[in-house]
Amino acid sequence: MRYIIPLALLLTTFDATYGIRLPFEVRTDTPPSYISRRSTNIGVKNLGNAQYIGNVTIGGVQARVLLDTGSSDLWVNFPTTQPTSTDLGKSIKLSYAVGAATGNVHAATVQIGNYSVDNQAFLLVADTSSFSTNIHAQGYDGLLGLGPNKGSLIYKKLDGDTGDTVLTHIFEQDTSADAYITFLLDRKNAPSEPFTGQLTISELVKGFENITSMPKLDVDKVNKLLSQDQHWQAITDKDVGIMGPDGNPIQVDSIVPSAPDDTYVAVFDSGFTFNQVPRKVSDAIYGRVQGAVYDEKNEYWTIPCGQYLNISISFGGVHYPVHPLDTVDDNFNVQDASGNRVCIGAVSVSFFGFVVALIPIVLQFQPITSAFSLLGHYDMILGMSFPSLTSHDAVRNAYTLLDFGSWADGADGQKPYIQLASVTNSVQARQDFVTARLGGVDTINDSKWALLPTSQMQRSPISAEEKKKAYEEKILSRWPYILVGCLVGLLLIVGCCIWRFCCSAKAKARRAKKNKKASQLFATEPESTAYLPLESPYKHSAGHSQSQFSLNKA
């Protein structure tokens, strides 16, 4: 998905002999600094847990790119030195929530980690004034899509393999290696020892090799109308997909027609800052917190920073706990109406699939405010904080592996899948929260932190426009059934018309047959003389008539 906001990554891992580790930088509000590559095992510099940025070289010029698993195209705007590239004569516009990347498609040598790709197609953006913020000041120059080839607009615009994505070309260089990527993001100033953030291609992060034994989540199981609608997505476990803060599952009907009952379809998209969930799910997580307030302007929940909330998400029979420092985030110096510091509840609002609250990386569960899942392809979006963790004073939640399988050219037909390895220990996470938010004194069970009864749960307001869009989505999400219904209706109408025609034809044939029989019946009777004209009585005696005539004349 194309959502530009300071991104951070989630995703991937698998087992292979060959691969690379790509250094990337995490940034929030400090000037950018590039990380020079020391070896193939390079850590990630975390600047405020707000932006995860990878360094690539295009046409001899280095660029900082946001890493986005929800899209597939590479685009860059170079503020000063321009790369050595060839204009391919094709223009493209990529639209985002905060602006549009418009320009011509160019080809150049692209270097990422140990890999070098010649004649790689990318979008050279000449003007970024349409963006609501200065992207270079935020610390990035463009975006690197890490999705499948079929989701690339550049690929669709160009002929043959010219428009293949960066990852597709990298995978083609060594077809003997498994085509997968992995993400592990670190947390700054975490009470427990942080990891080193890494993005790897066809290589596992040392110490996390056990991820290959985790359940393989099928990403191609649910329906999609168009090829560009394909995402890294998986279905949660039945009945226990999301466990709420009260220890009970949060159950909301899925909008995806083909999803199994009592499950959710989740998209893994590092292009999202906040996790996006149905409004009812967000309200179930934060609506019972004492002092919780829904910010209608920014469309997220604000809650007291000392509120401990224990949430988990289940895939493939495994529960993945969400770190409480992610669920209740304090990275952004948010204040309530009285000027008191409050935290943001983690899951943000989206509008037509775009994040409205442009706040960097956190694992918050904010409500979806409209028909963000056009035609009902998914229920929620797990942003960068789920698979790797982001807020300061916290630990990562999951190490993620994305295997491209048959999505990679030359693959043997194996279906693409996701694997997740939890890196959040619930006991340690609770202690981290006590240390960071409660001053080292465990008051989590105090009455002031107790959840309100369900009957007193607050619900975030729904605007008239959102109701309209929700209704439209409800209709659109049922398009297969509506289509079948229309076809059945059409067949019935056509059938009735044919039946009426046949009945009319039969009736006409019966009438014609009856008339024919009647004609044949009358044809056998002697000709009637009842209405013949009167004749002379001498008609049959010519001689006599003649004599009479002569006599009269005489």
Side-chain angles (χ1 to χ4, degrees):
M1 276 167 235
R2 298 191 295 279
Y3 319 108
I4 266 209
I5 338 175
L7 312 174
L9 288 46
L10 323 92
L11 303 49
T12 96
T13 327
F14 191 62
D15 201 7
T17 306
Y18 306 99
I20 66 164
R21 289 190 173 91
L22 171 67
F24 59 93
E25 166 187 337
V26 184
R27 167 189 168 76
T28 230
D29 54 0
T30 54
S33 62
Y34 295 101
I35 301 175
S36 59
R37 193 173 150 294
R38 298 184 298 273
S39 66
T40 56
N41 188 356
I42 301 171
V44 177
K45 183 178 180 181
N46 185 329
L47 302 179
N49 301 303
Q51 292 183 4
Y52 288 78
I53 301 168
N55 296 327
V56 299
T57 300
I58 302 175
V61 181
Q62 192 177 59
R64 304 159 297 173
V65 292
L66 300 174
L67 303 171
D68 183 16
T69 59
S71 65
S72 304
D73 291 307
L74 168 63
W75 67 264
V76 179
N77 171 261
F78 294 89
T80 54
T81 305
Q82 298 300 304
T84 301
S85 63
T86 301
D87 191 335
L88 300 181
K90 302 287 186 179
S91 61
I92 285 181
K93 180 179 180 180
L94 302 175
S95 298
Y96 298 87
V98 294
T102 305
N104 286 348
V105 178
H106 283 236
T109 298
V110 173
Q111 295 174 308
I112 176 171
N114 291 334
Y115 288 98
S116 179
V117 179
D118 295 330
N119 297 315
Q120 174 61 52
F122 72 100
L123 181 63
L124 182 60
V125 177
D127 183 12
T128 60
S129 59
S130 67
F131 289 102
S132 58
T133 58
N134 185 326
I135 66 171
H136 304 295
Q138 285 194 355
Y140 60 92
D141 307 310
L143 179 146
L144 173 60
L146 299 172
N149 228 15
K150 62 180 68 176
S152 168
L153 294 183
I154 293 177
Y155 175 76
K156 294 178 176 63
K157 196 77 171 180
L158 301 178
D159 297 328
D161 298 333
T162 308
D164 282 349
T165 66
V166 175
L167 280 180
T168 297
H169 282 140
I170 290 176
F171 293 148
E172 287 174 345
Q173 292 185 16
D174 186 0
T175 57
S176 65
D178 294 308
Y180 68 88
I181 59 175
T182 79
F183 274 104
L184 179 67
L185 306 182
D186 68 326
R187 237 184 216 151
K188 189 176 182 180
N189 302 322
S192 53
E193 185 176 356
F195 304 132
T196 298
Q198 297 179 57
L199 159 66
T200 71
I201 301 177
S202 299
E203 183 181 6
L204 299 176
V205 173
K206 187 177 181 179
F208 292 89
E209 293 83 1
N210 67 317
I211 192 172
T212 60
S213 64
M214 301 304 293
K216 295 180 179 180
L217 309 178
D218 185 0
V219 304
D220 203 22
K221 184 175 182 178
V222 296
N223 76 293
K224 60 182 186 300
L225 180 63
L226 304 172
S227 60
Q228 57 264 38
D229 294 321
Q230 180 64 65
H231 303 290
W232 291 107
Q233 57 196 31
I235 298 176
T236 64
D237 291 341
K238 181 180 175 62
D239 296 324
V240 293
I242 303 177
M243 299 298 293
D246 60 358
N248 295 316
I250 300 175
Q251 296 182 334
V252 176
D253 291 337
S254 172
I255 67 168
V256 182
S258 61
D261 293 341
D262 303 317
T263 64
Y264 301 102
V265 177
V267 169
F268 292 79
D269 191 340
S270 62
F272 268 95
T273 293
F274 297 142
N275 294 302
Q276 315 289 297
V277 297
R279 182 178 293 280
K280 291 182 179 180
V281 173
S282 176
D283 292 350
I285 294 174
Y286 301 111
R288 293 172 59 190
V289 172
Q290 298 181 57
V293 175
Y294 183 74
D295 187 324
E296 294 186 44
K297 178 180 179 181
N298 294 303
E299 297 180 310
Y300 54 62
W301 283 96
T302 60
I303 58 179
C305 292
Q307 182 69 52
Y308 174 84
L309 296 175
N310 186 19
I311 308 294
S312 67
I313 303 178
S314 297
F315 293 100
V318 179
H319 290 281
Y320 295 91
V322 178
H323 202 291
L325 290 174
D326 282 336
T327 311
V328 182
D329 184 86
D330 71 343
N331 275 322
F332 308 106
N333 299 317
V334 178
Q335 296 181 341
D336 61 17
S338 301
N340 300 317
R341 184 184 179 92
V342 291
C343 287
I344 299 175
V347 170
S348 91
V349 178
S350 76
F351 197 73
F352 287 108
F354 299 121
V355 173
V356 173
L358 301 180
I359 299 180
I361 327 174
V362 257
L363 201 170
Q364 303 170 329
F365 296 90
Q366 296 296 341
I368 294 162
T369 59
S370 69
F372 82 111
S373 174
L374 188 62
L375 300 178
H377 289 147
Y378 45 87
D379 299 296
M380 59 184 182
I381 302 173
L382 299 180
M384 49 189 145
S385 58
F386 173 72
S388 48
L389 109 349
T390 58
S391 13
H392 75 67
D393 300 333
V395 203
R396 290 72 33 199
N397 293 294
Y399 175 46
T400 310
L401 179 153
L402 304 181
D403 192 294
F404 283 71
S406 59
W407 286 354
D409 285 354
D412 58 4
Q414 175 180 265
K415 289 186 177 181
Y417 60 85
I418 300 172
Q419 287 181 295
L420 303 170
S422 178
V423 293
T424 297
N425 180 285
S426 297
V427 176
Q428 183 60 55
R430 177 180 175 125
Q431 185 57 49
D432 286 348
F433 187 88
V434 170
T435 301
R437 300 287 177 81
L438 301 177
V441 180
D442 190 344
T443 60
I444 289 175
N445 294 324
D446 285 5
S447 59
K448 66 177 180 178
W449 304 123
L451 297 176
L452 297 171
T454 304
S455 60
Q456 299 180 31
M457 181 178 73
Q458 298 184 69
R459 289 175 172 79
S460 52
I462 304 175
S463 66
E465 182 178 4
E466 183 181 347
K467 290 180 181 179
K468 177 183 176 182
K469 298 304 178 184
Y471 176 76
E472 292 174 353
E473 182 183 59
K474 184 177 180 180
I475 298 300
L476 290 173
S477 65
R478 272 32 180 193
W479 69 266
Y481 306 107
I482 295 174
L483 178 61
V484 171
C486 291
L487 290 175
V488 171
L490 179 61
L491 290 175
L492 289 175
I493 293 173
V494 173
C496 288
C497 292
I498 294 175
W499 177 76
R500 289 294 301 274
F501 176 79
C502 292
C503 290
S504 177
K506 288 181 178 179
K508 186 176 181 180
R510 284 196 298 269
R511 288 194 298 269
K513 186 176 181 180
K514 183 176 181 181
N515 293 336
K516 183 178 180 181
K517 287 182 177 180
S519 299
Q520 292 174 346
L521 177 63
F522 288 118
T524 60
E525 296 179 357
E527 185 179 354
S528 175
T529 60
Y531 294 98
L532 292 177
L534 293 176
E535 298 181 357
S536 168
Y538 306 108
K539 177 178 180 181
H540 302 292
S541 181
H544 180 76
S545 296
Q546 181 67 30
S547 300
Q548 183 67 31
F549 178 77
S550 301
L551 180 61
N552 290 339
K553 186 175 181 182

